[in-house]
Amino acid sequence: MTTYPVTIKNTELLSEHGFIAGEWVEAHSKKTQPVHNPATQKLIGSIPWMDQRETKLAIESASKVLPHWKGHTALERANMLMNWYRLILANESDLAAILTSENGKPLAEAKGEIAYAASFIRWFAEEGRRIYGRHVPHQKHGTRIMVIQQPIGVTFAITPWNFPAAMVTRKLAPALAAGCPMIVKCSEFTPYTAIALIKLAEQAGFSKANGLAGVIQLLTGDAVAIGKEACTNPIVKKISLTGSTRVGKILMEQSATTLKKLSLELGGNAPFIVFEDADLDKAVAGALICKYRNSGQTCVCANRIFVHKKLYKDFIEKLTAAVSQFKVADGFTPDAQIGPLINDAAFTKVQHHVSDATAHGAQITTGGKPLAHLGKNFYAPTVLSNVSPDALLNTEETFGPVGGIIPFQTEAEVIATANNTPYGLAAYFYSRDVGRVWRVAESIEAGIIGINEGIISYETAPFGGIKESGMGREGATEGIQEYLYTKYLLMGGIDT
Ligand code: SIN
């Protein structure tokens, strides 16, 4: 029995089981793992600790249903996805409450995530109907060349705790729309949002009763054992991970044995640059949303904030004033803006990055301390000035509500510093000079560039990185291509 801080009205969303071959099941070993609320440390419930055995069963079930699912028309698949989309919106409040309970983000932000999650389903229901082929002018008389696109096969998703709803739908929706069954392994920290979403998918028609057992499946448990089976099993044709660069490299290495297609949305170290011609207030507003949303726990959060010397003092003053006003609280508290960090490890890392920055000469202008009176994972939203290039805050992804500000003098210098990282996911800059806008946008090594904007995530835009931030794109037209392969047909014997 799961226990939440608020009443979940639709009790059909609640389960402590994984979903394999159309059935809600426990682990064969009967092992379970507790799940706690990061704000209160209270137990929410326990999830099955599944391993290689359940992974194999799920892969076999997906393989069985593949011909049936890919045999559906794009319109039939779109209609089912739209049913699911509408059910998610109808259950938005319950889903958001489940999400806040296990992830900690403020309820308003959780609601925003549910809408964001649903948007991928609608978008890919629509995109699935536009999987076009083409006719290519022939090279040889009596022949014709056609290009078609087909579902890649059985697919596998590994999803993180920081967006427990949106990362599930951003992977499931394009796979399903393309005609591919998908098995999801969700984070052990935030399984109940994924369970609730898949309960709704079952109601939307992705069910055993409809002959669609295995089209969507959910595994919870041992990430190492499950991931290894997914990578090495030749039936799985595609894996999509949102997670760390470390895990991405492991999956890539393990997948080499079966040469799988991979989408890897990995770590980032996003630069956020404020040029001397920027609109200062807009830049401060952008930094607030980009750096501090989800307590700084997003892969695309600004990690290094570079401000031109001319605006440096004013920027710090304004950012400090705004950050010190954030309401930090349990996500269920009305008007909460910043919740807890996900767990002890996240909290320790943030604390370590701040003490390392001050040891390297940075000054704390606000925050810089735990908020123990709120609970053990709460850390005060922090601004640090004069952060040294050698500080961990600059070289590693902090994943916390800590903004370190670094002064710069020239465009060339800041671009070189911004690019001096193995990561290349998102980057942001503020400028009103159109020539500079193009120069900088083209010079920064990242897959996503926010220009005078601090939020870059939309279902219609291709999300993904370069360098050690990964490969592949999610969302947009590119997102569905990840689940298709191209087949070229050369037709001979054409007598015209
Ligand atoms: C992520 O942090 O992995 C995703 C962030 C987003 O979609 O905005």
Side-chain angles (χ1 to χ4, degrees), residues 116 162-163 167 170 242 293 297-300 457 463:
Y116 179 46
N162 64 340
F163 287 87
M167 297 306 103
R170 189 155 86 178
T242 297
R293 79 175 162 120
Q297 301 173 113
T298 89
C299 305
V300 289
S457 308
F463 187 105

Side-chain angles (χ1 to χ4, degrees), residues 12 16 38 53 60 112 198 209 283 330 338 364 405 461 471 494:
E12 286 179 26
E16 291 184 277
R53 181 156 151 184
E60 279 159 23
I198 289 171
D330 182 313
I338 305 269
I364 295 169
I405 323 293
M471 59 188 65
I494 295 171

Side-chain angles (χ1 to χ4, degrees), residues 64-85:
K64 255 194 227 151
V65 79
L66 171 66
H68 182 47
W69 182 239
K70 74 177 183 189
H72 280 58
T73 66
L75 180 60
E76 286 164 347
R77 290 197 289 261
N79 286 340
M80 288 183 65
L81 284 165
M82 286 307 292
N83 288 344
W84 188 25
Y85 166 78

Side-chain angles (χ1 to χ4, degrees), residues 116 120 160 162-163 166-167 170 242-243 265-266 293-294 297-301 397 399 425 428 448 455-458 463 474:
Y116 179 46
F120 288 108
N162 64 340
F163 287 87
M167 297 306 103
R170 189 155 86 178
T242 297
E265 305 292 350
L266 309 177
R293 79 175 162 120
N294 202 11
Q297 301 173 113
T298 89
C299 305
V300 289
C301 268
E397 189 177 37
F399 241 57
L425 184 54
Y428 306 83
I448 306 166
I455 287 282
I456 41 69
S457 308
Y458 298 98
F463 187 105
E474 293 191 312

Side-chain angles (χ1 to χ4, degrees), residues 148-187:
I148 61 171
Q149 290 188 296
Q150 293 199 277
I152 196 165
V154 171
T155 64
F156 203 98
I158 302 176
T159 61
W161 52 263
N162 64 340
F163 287 87
M167 297 306 103
V168 169
T169 57
R170 189 155 86 178
K171 297 177 193 309
L172 254 176
L176 298 172
C180 303
M182 179 171 260
I183 301 154
V184 178
K185 152 70 180 72
C186 62
S187 164

Side-chain angles (χ1 to χ4, degrees), residues 12 79 119 156-157 162 179 190 193 205 274 305 322 340 359 367 370 372 387 431-432 448 460:
E12 286 179 26
N79 286 340
S119 75
F156 203 98
N162 64 340
T190 55
T193 308
V274 184
I305 305 177
V387 175
S431 168
R432 285 180 286 196
I448 306 166
T460 47

